[in-house]
Amino acid sequence: MPIALFALTVGAFAICTSEFVIVGMLLNISHDMSISVASAGMLVTAYALGVVIGAPLLTPLMVRFKRKNALVMLMLLYVAGNFACAVATSYQYLLLARVIAALAHASFFGLGAVVATQLVSKEKQASAIAAMFLGATLANVFGTPLGTLMGEHFGWRSTFIGCSALGVLGMLAMMVFVPDIKNAKPQHLASEFRVLLQPQALKAMLITIIGFGGIFTALTYIGPLLTQVTGFPESAVSWLLLVFGVGMVLGNPLGGRLTDFNLRLGILVTLAIVLTVLVALGLFAGFKAITAMLVFLFGAAMFSAITPLQVQAMHATQNAPVLGSSFNIAAFNLGNAGGAWLGGYMLEQGVKVAQLPLVAAAVTTVGLLFAYFARAGVATKNTGEAH
């Protein structure tokens, strides 16, 4: 793989570290700013909101610039947002700063995925996207734990300073290693948005929302599942999440290779694996050894599904690939938020934590069936032959 891909990976690592690390610092922030943990939790929601807003707000502007310059500008926005978090003097200011930092997320991953495909030959495009998304995987394995540790020892503001430093590193790497890539001829903005309203584009993004919604219905409450149902001590949860992260690292290239071979097969197989793992979690969460293995497989299944879903959206929006790619990143976040809401709602209705993986499996089943019957620009032989 070309070194420019690793520059994109560094940027992805920085952005996703900032996204996930907040979870480990909620208690510190709530104490320091004298707010409730629930209020601190809104910082997670604020970031997701920023991702969804950033797709339609920034992406149409970014496609007008040279792609390398656009990536650098997005990283600069990310750096500014995280520095603003570090110096926030109030809870409201911190909320706003989180939204600013998140604005670059969808556009960076959307544009970065398109650039990644232009750096390699056609038969390796899905693997190139997987290589860029490896940064998100590594953020879970290394970035989030190290950022949380930094926050515990030096204060939560130091973590955001560290995230800004990572952003600067990613920005410099892209300035040095990413070549000037010729943009496609710009279309009228209204024409590009019309591409997103075409049936195949809407189908692709709906599959992303439902498929990932099922994952986060269970994943959001994995901590209570491991402690209350499986019986692991709270001290073991961080180690099990590390196991989950290792699974993500191994699942990431699997999804890329499956998609390079056959996009439709990649979508169906990875969602079927997600479904199988969720059902197994629902049935065997009371057994520690089995659950530990399933946590690993859950991470692998989750990240193996990302690449085929992203490539499908890019195929379905070929006349506006950057916009389509960015909106699909927002679709992932809508799925995350919707799944988390569904899990919480079901708990409020009396569903037990042990049953959430089965609820999640039901959602994923809908996504899998929809993916099977709704061919959203999916190739039958390889990713280069789309319908």
Side-chain angles (χ1 to χ4, degrees), residues 292-313:
M293 179 181 68
L294 289 173
V295 166
F296 169 81
L297 293 175
F298 193 12
M302 172 185 168
F303 249 68
S304 69
I306 289 179
T307 297
L309 290 173
Q310 186 68 10
V311 171
Q312 175 183 243

Side-chain angles (χ1 to χ4, degrees), residues 3-353:
I3 194 169
L5 267 179
F6 296 101
L8 296 175
T9 302
V10 173
F13 177 84
I15 288 176
C16 288
T17 294
S18 176
E19 177 185 13
F20 300 133
V21 77
I22 191 72
V23 176
M25 301 190 298
L26 291 184
L27 286 175
N28 291 338
I29 293 173
S30 67
H31 292 154
D32 188 50
M33 292 198 154
S34 300
I35 57 175
S36 67
V37 174
S39 294
M42 287 299 294
L43 295 169
V44 179
T45 305
Y47 190 95
L49 179 64
V51 175
V52 175
I53 292 173
L57 184 65
L58 286 184
T59 307
L61 298 176
M62 291 298 105
V63 296
R64 301 303 184 230
F65 293 95
K66 289 184 177 180
R67 287 174 176 173
K68 176 177 179 176
N69 294 342
L71 287 169
V72 171
M73 285 188 285
L74 289 168
M75 287 306 302
L76 184 60
L77 176 62
Y78 163 84
V79 170
N82 278 278
F83 185 76
C85 288
V87 299
T89 54
S90 69
Y91 170 64
Q92 292 76 14
Y93 183 11
L94 183 56
L95 272 176
L96 178 60
R98 284 288 287 172
V99 172
I100 292 172
L103 289 175
H105 187 121
S107 296
F108 177 84
F109 276 94
L111 179 59
V114 173
V115 170
T117 63
Q118 295 178 302
L119 295 171
V120 297
S121 57
K122 195 170 186 178
E123 66 273 10
K124 293 182 179 180
Q125 289 181 350
S127 292
I129 293 174
M132 188 194 76
F133 276 93
L134 179 63
T137 310
L138 295 176
N140 279 275
V141 180
F142 300 109
T144 298
L146 290 176
T148 301
L149 190 64
M150 181 184 296
E152 290 174 353
H153 285 83
F154 305 106
W156 60 268
R157 296 177 189 275
S158 68
T159 300
F160 286 114
I161 292 175
C163 288
S164 294
L166 282 174
V168 171
L169 180 63
M171 185 168 58
L172 292 175
M174 283 179 277
M175 290 172 67
V176 174
F177 297 115
V178 175
D180 286 319
I181 295 174
K182 184 179 180 180
N183 290 23
K185 185 179 180 180
Q187 298 188 63
H188 191 275
L189 186 58
S191 299
E192 294 195 356
F193 272 102
R194 277 197 293 271
V195 172
L196 299 181
L197 296 177
Q198 292 176 353
Q200 66 268 26
L202 295 175
K203 289 175 185 177
M205 293 179 196
L206 191 57
I207 291 169
T208 296
I209 292 170
I210 299 174
F212 246 64
I215 289 172
F216 271 77
T217 301
L219 181 59
T220 304
Y221 301 96
I222 193 71
L225 179 76
L226 294 172
T227 55
Q228 298 173 19
V229 180
T230 313
F232 283 110
E234 289 187 12
S235 59
V237 173
S238 59
W239 292 103
L240 287 166
L241 290 179
L242 178 62
V243 170
F244 179 85
V246 172
M248 292 167 69
V249 172
L250 297 180
N252 180 63
L254 171 64
R257 289 173 184 172
L258 271 174
T259 306
D260 276 332
F261 176 72
N262 184 295
L263 174 54
R264 179 171 167 78
L265 181 67
I267 294 169
L268 297 178
V269 168
T270 55
L271 288 181
I273 294 173
V274 169
L275 173 60
T276 302
V277 172
L278 287 171
V279 171
L281 269 176
L283 297 176
F284 302 109
F287 302 91
K288 289 184 177 178
I290 296 176
T291 300
M293 179 181 68
L294 289 173
V295 166
F296 169 81
L297 293 175
F298 193 12
M302 172 185 168
F303 249 68
S304 69
I306 289 179
T307 297
L309 290 173
Q310 186 68 10
V311 171
Q312 175 183 243
M314 292 168 65
H315 278 202
T317 56
Q318 291 183 55
N319 293 326
V322 177
L323 208 60
S325 183
S326 298
F327 269 71
N328 197 57
I329 297 297
F332 277 116
N333 279 268
L334 283 176
N336 297 352
W341 171 85
L342 177 62
Y345 175 79
M346 296 303 291
L347 290 176
E348 290 177 353
Q349 298 306 307
V351 172
K352 296 181 179 180
V353 174

Side-chain angles (χ1 to χ4, degrees), residues 207 264 268 271 275 362-374:
I207 291 169
R264 179 171 167 78
L268 297 178
L271 288 181
L275 173 60
V363 177
T364 300
T365 299
V366 174
L368 179 59
L369 290 173
F370 188 51
Y372 181 79
F373 290 107

